[in-house]
Amino acid sequence: MKTTTAGVRPLEEGIRTDFREEMDYASYLGLDQVLSAQHPVSRPEHHDELLFIIQHQTTELWLKLVLHELRAARAHLDEDDLLRALKAVARVKHIQRTITEQWSVLATLTPSEYAEFRGVLGSSSGFQSYQYRAVEFILGNKNEKMLPVFRGNQEAYDLLDGLLREPTVYDAFLRLLARRGHAVPDEILERDVTEAWVEHPDLIPVLTGIYRDPSSAWDIYEACEDLVDLEDAFQFWRFRHLRTVQRTIGFKTGTGGSSGVDFLKRALDLTFFPELISVRTEVGA
Ligand code: HEM
Ligand SMILES: N[C@@H](CC(=O)c1ccccc1NC=O)C(=O)O
């Protein structure tokens, strides 16, 4: 009878083992920088602060990729390459699902554990996440009142100031629709892109026409549904964040100075693409 042995798997002849003179896994990934970028400030160091830091840093790394892909999607839309834009959006949706799922790790931080080191955080808060703001801006939730928060960080300020002045992914999508001959209102095509998006009622009939006859523009119809997926996924992240906040600090005031849960709740009422929601009221009405 074959017995199970703990044993040791022999290394194959061809496996490389000498990286004294060439790039290896750690040097390619810059692991010396990445794995030495966690600096707990609690003294003595609290066991759970590493979790708190890594949860944020992994989210920020994923947000860096989200921004990279949304910039690419916007560029592909500007080049009328809708399918290539949708491939970038599809990747973003998977990233969003990943960062939403990882809330389950932070949810293992109990209120008592968090209270033991929350004090060392000072006024720092995720409210000051410039990559989160950048993703909100490129999707259309622009707010120039956010920029002063980043006066002390020129790189962050310039990133957000740039995105504030650029068209959003939705602008690029609607301009593509106009180039395809759809009656996108001029007020949209000529809008001040530094402003937050507000619903344009005259756009709804254009989208209703597509939703009532998808065969007239299947790729546009699919793109609309993908944008709604993107918004849903963003809201799911906001909701998981809100639930995590509620379970760790209840209804305390936030370190960033907000009312906390009630302030976060109001973000759930926002929508990046209001007309794509309103069209659902019209279809089948
Ligand atoms: C124990 C865990 C957490 C607590 C208690 C918490 C609490 C809060 C609170 C109270 C706010 C409102 C602003 C303020 O007054 O501070 C906030 C905002 C925010 N937090 Fe967290 N947070 C936690 C984890 C995270 C994590 C892991 C991230 C990931 C990056 C994050 C990202 C954000 C963002 C982006 C905002 C701004 C949201 C908005 O403006 O709507 N938070 N957080
Ligand atoms: N605003 C949070 C503090 C907090 O969560 C935080 C602090 C420093 C860096 C990131 C944070 N995450 C999200 O806000 C609180 O009120 O406890």
Side-chain angles (χ1 to χ4, degrees):
M1 180 183 72
K2 181 169 175 7
T3 54
T4 307
T5 56
V8 174
R9 181 184 61 177
L11 288 191
E12 292 175 348
E13 274 301 303
I15 286 177
R16 311 291 300 279
T17 57
D18 182 354
F19 291 93
R20 285 169 293 182
E21 302 302 326
E22 62 176 302
M23 181 175 77
D24 68 355
Y25 175 83
S27 53
Y28 171 67
L29 296 173
L31 287 188
D32 51 341
Q33 293 167 285
V34 173
L35 299 182
S36 59
Q38 295 73 40
H39 307 294
V41 295
S42 50
R43 292 294 177 268
E45 183 180 326
H46 193 287
H47 171 82
D48 295 316
E49 202 180 349
L50 187 62
L51 156 66
F52 192 76
I53 291 168
I54 288 177
Q55 181 88 22
H56 284 88
Q57 290 180 336
T58 51
T59 302
E60 290 291 344
L61 284 171
W62 281 123
L63 287 176
K64 181 174 183 176
L65 186 56
V66 164
L67 203 47
H68 178 68
E69 297 297 340
L70 289 177
R71 285 182 188 277
R74 185 179 58 181
H76 294 319
L77 290 167
D78 289 344
E79 295 150 5
D80 288 316
D81 195 342
L82 183 56
L83 294 183
R84 207 160 165 204
L86 295 185
K87 182 175 183 302
V89 168
R91 183 174 291 171
V92 170
K93 291 184 333 189
H94 285 289
I95 297 166
Q96 288 175 304
R97 200 170 300 120
T98 298
I99 59 177
T100 297
E101 190 48 46
Q102 80 173 29
W103 278 112
S104 59
V105 182
L106 192 60
T108 64
L109 180 69
T110 65
S112 351
E113 291 162 340
Y114 183 55
E116 287 163 2
F117 69 88
R118 184 182 188 226
V120 303
L121 303 173
S123 302
S124 62
S125 161
F127 185 81
Q128 300 131 28
S129 166
Y130 58 85
Q131 288 200 129
Y132 179 83
R133 291 300 159 218
V135 172
E136 285 202 315
F137 277 24
I138 199 172
L139 291 177
N141 184 24
K142 294 186 178 180
N143 181 354
E144 66 178 333
K145 292 189 174 63
M146 286 288 178
L147 266 72
V149 173
F150 306 98
R151 274 171 297 199
N153 179 340
Q154 196 59 50
E155 190 182 328
Y157 190 95
D158 293 346
L159 168 69
L160 292 175
D161 189 53
L163 287 168
L164 183 76
R165 301 172 195 285
E166 294 167 5
T168 67
V169 167
Y170 200 34
D171 284 315
F173 175 62
L174 296 174
R175 291 174 182 184
L176 180 150
L177 256 62
R179 292 194 297 272
R180 287 272 192 92
H182 295 276
V184 178
D186 287 342
E187 66 179 23
I188 290 179
L189 302 175
E190 293 155 11
R191 83 181 190 93
D192 175 358
V193 296
T194 66
E195 295 293 318
W197 184 268
V198 291
E199 183 161 28
H200 292 78
D202 293 347
L203 178 60
I204 298 170
V206 177
L207 298 174
T208 305
I210 292 166
Y211 270 73
R212 284 189 174 141
D213 177 19
S215 59
S216 64
W218 269 112
D219 57 352
I220 299 285
Y221 181 57
E222 180 187 349
C224 290
E225 288 300 284
D226 285 346
L227 288 176
V228 173
D229 288 346
L230 205 57
E231 166 134 70
D232 278 356
F234 202 99
Q235 290 287 43
F236 294 147
W237 185 93
R238 283 182 172 143
F239 182 72
R240 286 297 304 272
H241 172 248
L242 185 148
R243 297 297 296 183
T244 305
V245 173
Q246 195 167 275
R247 71 182 292 159
T248 37
I249 63 168
F251 293 88
K252 292 189 183 78
T253 303
T255 51
S258 82
S259 59
V261 165
D262 287 343
F263 172 73
L264 294 169
K265 259 186 194 149
R266 288 197 284 278
L268 294 176
D269 295 331
L270 303 176
T271 171
F272 293 118
F273 320 120
E275 300 83 4
L276 287 176
I277 307 302
S278 300
V279 73
R280 282 138 173 72
T281 310
E282 301 306 317
V283 171

